[in-house]
Amino acid sequence: MRVYPCLIKALILISITCILPGCSEVAPWQRGNLAKPNMALDPNPNLTHIRDHIFTSREAAQGSRVSSGGGCGCN
């Protein structure tokens, strides 16, 4: 299989143009909007923890987001 240098350059250029729009400066008056609780990745961590606990209890599996442990409840 032959790799074409122009194809590699084109893929690099396309990937850079896709990544760069995500890097932008936030104006000071916009930072208040980004700091609101509803903009968080997990806006209610306590509720998420409770729901995970209920799910794992019902499914008889330890941790939906934790990779350790078994169905017996031991870690």
Side-chain angles (χ1 to χ4, degrees):
M1 182 175 169
R2 186 172 179 205
V3 179
Y4 298 102
C6 61
L7 180 63
I8 294 173
K9 289 179 184 177
L11 289 174
I12 291 172
L13 181 65
I14 290 171
S15 63
I16 288 174
T17 56
C18 290
I19 292 172
L20 283 179
C23 302
S24 62
E25 293 184 19
V26 179
W29 59 87
Q30 295 173 332
R31 291 182 185 158
N33 293 332
L34 295 174
K36 291 182 179 177
N38 60 353
M39 292 294 289
L41 292 175
D42 189 7
N44 198 344
N46 292 332
L47 183 61
T48 304
H49 178 72
I50 291 170
R51 286 183 178 166
D52 284 345
H53 177 71
I54 292 170
F55 177 76
T56 56
S57 299
R58 288 184 180 171
E59 293 294 322
Q62 179 63 28
S64 61
R65 295 183 184 173
V66 179
S67 61
S68 64
C72 63
C74 55
N75 289 329

